[in-house]
Amino acid sequence: MTDPNTPQSPEDRPQAPTGDEEAARLLEVGLSDSGTSRKTPPPSPQEMGEHFPDLEILEVLGQGGMGVVYKARQRKLDRLVALKVLPRDLGGDPAFAERFAREARTLARLRHAHIVGVYEFGESDGLYFLLMEFVDGVTLRELMSTGELNAREALAIVPQICDALQYAHDEGVVHRDIKPENVLLDRAGQVKVADFGLAKMAQRGPADFTLTGTDQVMGTWQYMAPEQYKTPQDVDHRADIFSLGVVFYEMLTGELPVGRFANPSEAPDLDARIDEIVMRALERERDMRYQNAGDLTTDIEHMASGSKPFDPEKPATAGMAQQRLRKLRHRRWWHDRKERPLSRWASWSFWLLPAGAFLAWMVYLLVYDTSDHARGYHATKAGLFTAIGIGTLATLCAFLGIRATKGRDRPVHGLRLSVVCLCLAAFGTVTCIAAYFQEKNQHARMLRWQAERRLPKRSLVDHPRVQGTDDTVLEHEVRKGVREAWGRLRLVAAVRDLTLDHAESADIYDPADLRALRVLANSDAKEYERRLAANELGMGFVRAASLSSALRMYRIESIQLDRSQRQATVTAYGTAVYEGARFRIPRLAFFMKRADTGWVFVVDKVRIEDGR
Amino acid sequence: MTDARRFHTTRWSLVAAASSGEGAQARAALEELCAAYWYPLYAFQRRRGSGADEASDFVQGFFAALLEKGYVGQADKERGRFRSFLMTALRHFASKEWAKARALKRGGGQVHLSLDFEDGERRYQLEPEGGLGAEALFERRWALTLLDRTLARLAEEHRSGSPAKAERFEALRPFLAGAGEVPYRDVGLQLGISETAVKVAVHRLRARYRDLLRDEIAQTVSDEAQVDEEIRRLMDALRGAS
């Protein structure tokens, strides 16, 4: 074999394929499963008749990679049927029988005016077969090859295919191999789509079979959606829409949309609006295509009804009423006639957002309005978080909405949704800000009210320094300091009156506290010992206090201010309740010292006065 | 089964199996492959904005680097297909080595493949303007070169026979890509044979063509199983060239 490695001279090169389409076809011949490789003559009707005693097999209708189709007569019912016998080698696959039964059952369920019905399926002598409705007519391929198919007819055929596809897709069946060979037209001009789901049944590439694929070298890759050969495991109904787009294009122009193909409207007698429809069906990205077959029908009808080049007078087929119904079903109020429906998430988020916002707002109002100050504060916080949450969600949805419709020629719907979402987000934010200020305002008003009632002249906030301020103000500050320090105060206060006996009988102290009490009760104890004991006891009391809020009330009897030392001596008494026993806290005096942050209680300056 | 035997020693599998710079056979195979598929690289480089001279220097420099330095060893992941290997290596070369190689080239003695760049430039001038990116052009050109070579081999086989055989080939060639414009009957009349005989001849021609095409592709992949995938990818490249 010679090998022309040397650079070829230009004269040698007229061999080179001229167009991309031809080149692609030349390449396709090389595929291992292309038509050239299988050319065994089908078994004759007589041979086949031996396997099917109930049928009178009349003739071979066609042969393809997916088996042979015979025209036959069911003897009992005396009706014509099409018998499709699948290749014998398929039976060799042990999983096939199960898959075949499952798929065939699904197909048998499909009952539609434009789908070739499956009457029966099964296995006979190792041959898997399907008994189908016999369509007396031609395939779309045959019709196209006569060259007599005009645009008007094409526009009448495509909606019928769409109808069949929409029905099947609704039933969860994807055809996977839409091509002119699989579209039949009966004598009345009714379209019938054949071979639904057979590609899946055989789990082969669709290039493998055709219903009537008599010597069809041209396989079906031209009709396959890009995802079908790129990611065959991830194919959905939109692949059918692409294939239908190819068929549509071919019907209109007589050519396949391969390479840099012309717009369909460049063919004579075609409206420019058809371009958009065909091109959208032919989008390589499936998200950009028509998302369901019904939309394609809608667009075609819309174009045809308002256009001059096309005669709006179309044969009233049985499918038309259904189409109208579906159109009504698909058109909701937010669907502008020209707009496409959004993907599912957008539709529900559309409802979710206002509902969520409303709910949050109601909760907020309920909690806020019926609450006192503290609960109002929490409600504000809750409202804030809700608003931020909704705002974020809304912004996210808006962003996704814009993204989902980005690149489309009419992103109106996404924009509209985005605007709604942004409005909601803005509403949430404004609400939250308003609530915050309202709350803050109220708090400030309350403070002012308190200050005014107790301190007729000035509020505390205005007087950070001790020097030069009114006694009343300072006293007020001290009171505040006492309140804050009370947690520690109460224990020291308790010491004086709770005698050891009392404490032991009440059995309220732990051993360490008892020890401290003993030190305090001992008059011989040194000063520092007493102080230490007092502190120790304090810790215990704090524990006890924190457990059951032992201290119930106190009262400040007097406050003596010492400006020079920035100190105050406070005399107070109160009661404490601990484990059911009530204790009186005797009079005590202690120092409050002015620190930068306010008045603080100075532990080691506590004097326990004799209250008796 | 000559084809089956060829498969185990296809050029690319030979090249890919040899470790870098090892084996005269592997090197010869690589040289042969380079000589066959230089034009897509040239078109790629031209489309990336190089002038004709620069592009031819670049391609020569790239092949020189490929053959001398054994880039093959560096492209393990891309060993599956010669085409993707070339693309990876070329990118690497363009970013790292080209400046160096050009400097060296002035120094002297290098590998030099005899490639007809003038013809290449003539062909490039016929490429459609714009539209296609450099890489898309490369893939498209690759596919077309592949077909070119296959058809040339097929033509060679027929031309080496009698003139009648050559004439028959010319008449039947349009049928390779599917049904031609002309009916079988007319071709039959032209060749003086029956319609059935034409069908049979077309079938044989197509079968032979198919074998040659698969063989040609097999030369550039490392495994027979990849041939179908490669065909689909190239078909996609042609199809995506819209």
Side-chain angles (χ1 to χ4, degrees), chain A residues 253-269:
Chain A
T253 65
E255 284 164 13
L256 284 166
V258 184
R260 275 179 295 273
F261 53 92
N263 280 339
S265 63
E266 286 172 24
D269 296 338

Side-chain angles (χ1 to χ4, degrees), chain B:
Chain B
M1 287 299 285
T2 48
D3 283 350
R5 206 169 55 242
R6 281 180 69 101
F7 239 110
H8 299 295
T9 55
T10 62
R11 298 197 192 94
W12 179 238
S13 56
L14 200 68
V15 173
S19 57
S20 58
E22 184 188 292
Q25 231 185 335
R27 191 188 146 127
L30 183 60
E31 213 170 305
E32 233 177 294
L33 280 176
C34 291
Y37 289 99
W38 65 272
Y39 177 68
L41 285 180
Y42 178 77
F44 174 79
Q45 195 56 24
R46 286 285 279 125
R47 185 53 56 96
R48 293 219 307 184
S50 301
D53 289 346
E54 198 189 340
S56 45
D57 273 2
F58 178 84
V59 171
Q60 276 290 4
F62 173 61
F63 283 148
L66 202 62
L67 292 168
E68 293 207 326
K69 291 194 180 170
Y71 263 12
V72 183
Q74 296 169 17
D76 281 336
K77 282 182 197 159
E78 292 296 342
R79 281 190 175 192
R81 270 168 288 141
F82 181 54
R83 181 166 58 86
S84 26
F85 159 74
L86 264 194
M87 208 14 85
T88 316
L90 187 80
R91 286 187 183 288
H92 177 72
F93 178 75
S95 64
K96 300 265 166 66
E97 308 276 331
W98 173 221
K100 237 191 297 174
R102 188 148 54 169
L104 267 178
K105 189 174 154 266
R106 295 198 186 96
Q110 295 283 313
V111 173
H112 197 81
L113 298 176
S114 66
L115 306 175
D116 187 353
F117 284 109
E118 273 176 36
D119 177 46
E121 183 55 25
R122 270 201 301 282
R123 285 165 73 185
Y124 181 74
Q125 293 304 331
L126 298 176
E127 295 288 346
E129 284 285 316
L132 241 47
E135 199 156 330
L137 181 68
F138 170 78
E139 291 195 340
R140 182 168 174 274
R141 265 300 140 201
W142 186 278
L144 294 182
T145 307
L146 192 73
L147 291 173
D148 207 355
R149 287 172 57 79
T150 311
L151 288 170
R153 272 170 75 178
L154 192 64
E156 195 62 35
E157 280 180 12
H158 285 83
R159 281 178 192 153
S160 58
S162 62
K165 206 176 164 191
E167 188 200 354
R168 183 181 293 187
F169 170 71
E170 289 303 330
L172 297 182
R173 209 198 80 80
F175 289 98
L176 277 182
E181 305 271 312
V182 198
Y184 285 126
R185 195 162 9 106
D186 295 2
V187 178
L189 284 177
Q190 183 197 333
L191 296 175
I193 54 177
S194 72
E195 191 178 337
T196 323
V198 174
K199 278 187 189 168
V200 171
V202 166
H203 176 60
R204 281 194 193 133
L205 184 69
R206 213 180 266 151
R208 181 65 194 143
Y209 163 75
R210 184 170 166 276
D211 287 347
L212 288 178
L213 177 65
R214 289 183 72 79
D215 178 65
E216 196 61 47
I217 293 172
Q219 298 299 322
T220 69
V221 295
S222 57
D223 182 7
E224 178 168 14
Q226 290 176 328
V227 172
D228 281 338
E229 193 199 337
E230 176 76 353
I231 291 180
R232 289 208 170 85
R233 275 172 192 273
L234 290 175
M235 277 176 9
D236 195 36
L238 286 172
R239 210 180 180 193
S242 49

Side-chain angles (χ1 to χ4, degrees), chain A residues 339-522:
Chain A
E339 282 169 9
R340 52 204 61 108
L342 275 178
S343 47
R344 211 170 302 143
W345 70 263
S347 300
W348 62 252
S349 68
F350 187 84
W351 289 109
L352 174 89
L353 274 172
F358 181 72
L359 201 71
W361 181 239
M362 289 310 289
V363 168
Y364 172 71
L365 284 182
L366 262 168
V367 174
Y368 184 79
D369 270 358
T370 61
S371 69
D372 61 9
H373 170 74
R375 281 162 71 196
Y377 169 73
H378 289 300
T380 312
K381 230 159 70 170
L384 180 76
F385 285 131
T386 322
I388 290 176
I390 290 177
T392 314
L393 190 65
T395 316
L396 186 74
C397 287
F399 169 69
L400 287 177
I402 291 170
R403 249 188 71 166
T405 51
K406 197 175 151 191
R408 301 211 177 152
D409 40 356
R410 284 186 299 228
V412 191
H413 200 115
L415 275 179
R416 193 176 294 172
L417 178 84
S418 309
V419 168
V420 171
C421 293
L422 286 172
C423 286
L424 277 172
F427 173 72
T429 316
V430 168
T431 303
C432 133
I433 291 171
Y436 172 74
F437 278 113
Q438 194 188 353
E439 179 58 33
K440 199 180 161 188
N441 222 359
Q442 183 150 340
H443 188 70
R445 252 189 291 139
M446 196 186 70
L447 279 182
R448 224 176 297 134
W449 175 78
Q450 281 177 343
E452 276 165 9
R453 215 172 56 144
R454 292 179 193 175
L455 313 164
K457 288 175 188 171
R458 277 162 286 188
S459 86
L460 285 174
V461 194
D462 300 330
H463 299 279
R465 282 184 213 92
V466 178
Q467 301 295 341
T469 38
D470 203 303
D471 279 1
T472 336
V473 175
L474 285 180
E475 261 183 46
H476 188 87
E477 286 186 354
V478 171
R479 275 174 201 280
K480 204 176 151 208
V482 170
R483 219 166 35 237
E484 283 163 5
W486 191 248
R488 302 198 64 193
L489 259 183
R490 62 181 103 171
L491 54 107
V492 189
V495 173
R496 181 64 184 86
D497 205 39
L498 295 177
T499 62
L500 195 54
D501 296 344
H502 197 162
E504 275 168 340
S505 67
D507 194 20
I508 58 169
Y509 299 120
D510 67 30
D513 290 347
L514 216 53
R515 201 168 53 243
L517 273 176
R518 286 201 187 98
V519 173
L520 287 173
N522 182 3

Side-chain angles (χ1 to χ4, degrees), chain A residues 85 290 292 331 350 460 588:
Chain A
V85 181
Y290 285 103
N292 57 60
R331 195 176 302 143
F350 187 84
L460 285 174
L588 73 152

